[in-house]
Amino acid sequence: MSLIDALPSPSFKRRPWHPNVVLLCLSGAMLAAAWLLSFVSVAPNRIVSGTAFGMVDAISWPGAALVSLLFIAMAALSSVPTSRHYRAMLGIIILILLLMPFGLMVAGHWLVDPSLPQARLGIGAAYWTVLFVLLLCLVELRLRLGLSRWWPTLLLAGVGIAWWGCAALWLDRLALVQEFQAREGQFYQAVGQHIALVGTAVGVSVVLGMLLAMLMRRYQRLQKIAFTLLNFLQTIPSLALFGLLLAPLAWLAANVPPLAALGVSGIGNAPALIALIAYSLLPMVRNTYIALEEVS
């Protein structure tokens, strides 16, 4: 045996491949959605259903290639997960979010006939799917990079402001913008009603939750009954709860004039308020009860 044969042969060990499966699958899902689902739709007015268009028809081949390259880059970066690659993916996500309204602008310029004043551009399934998956990617990146909870919130707020500016300046043919402009007063009124309804429900839930928690500490037999009932309320679907409240509230409104004068009826704010209170009581009571047990 020669000296060369006696020397140990070098062994090359392949490093195991551990991609971030979540981000890799999400990147592939966005790429598939962009190509397979409708990108936008165009309708001559708000009554006639719109015609769906794919990504190539909406933003042309160069735009489709750019979008595809961004998703492929995200998939490539997620296949070798490092802190630097995660930061690069975060930058790509921010870039995509900022480019999305400009894609709608390009689609509106190419597809909407300027001679039809009532023509409108609708956002397709691909847009909504990509937006939803991007939010999932942000959640995953926040966990991987150890970012605070406020960081994604501030990021989305900045992107939302950019979207709002684009919608106000250049997306006047977008169906959502046209509907908002036509019903701006109703929109703000509905937002005010929603805030008042939620605020009232939270206030009532806090008061009832504190009272129930204190009674449960005083009377131990009440604890099991109350938690059983509150847990049971959580199992009732919201639509079913509205159906269960419809007949009793309608009967009360018909037979108790003071309640009818207050606006109680089978439909409207009364069942919504009761449902919100019922669903929020369990966390209020449980957390208050635990807090009282800890400090006692």
Side-chain angles (χ1 to χ4, degrees), residues 2 9 12 16 81 99 117 144 151 153 166 170 199 253 259 280 283:
S2 63
S9 59
F12 298 96
L99 288 177
R144 297 295 180 179
W151 203 94
T153 304
C166 292
W170 301 298
L259 292 179
S280 59

Side-chain angles (χ1 to χ4, degrees), residues 2-23:
S2 63
L3 180 61
I4 296 178
D5 295 334
L7 293 175
S9 59
S11 59
F12 298 96
K13 295 183 179 180
R14 298 182 61 183
R15 298 179 61 183
W17 184 49
H18 296 294
N20 188 312
V21 180
V22 174
L23 292 175

Side-chain angles (χ1 to χ4, degrees), residues 23-97:
L23 292 175
L24 187 61
C25 293
L26 292 178
S27 302
M30 288 188 291
L31 182 62
W35 281 98
L36 299 178
L37 300 179
S38 62
F39 206 71
V40 294
S41 63
V42 178
N45 50 59
R46 68 186 306 268
I47 300 176
V48 180
S49 60
T51 303
F53 292 91
M55 180 169 60
V56 176
D57 296 326
I59 57 177
S60 71
W61 277 105
L66 174 62
V67 172
S68 301
L69 286 176
L70 290 175
F71 292 149
I72 293 173
M74 289 184 60
L77 291 171
S78 62
S79 63
V80 186
T82 62
S83 179
R84 181 183 300 178
H85 288 178
Y86 285 144
R87 291 190 178 91
M89 289 187 67
L90 184 60
I92 293 176
I93 290 174
I94 296 174
L95 178 62
I96 294 174
L97 288 172

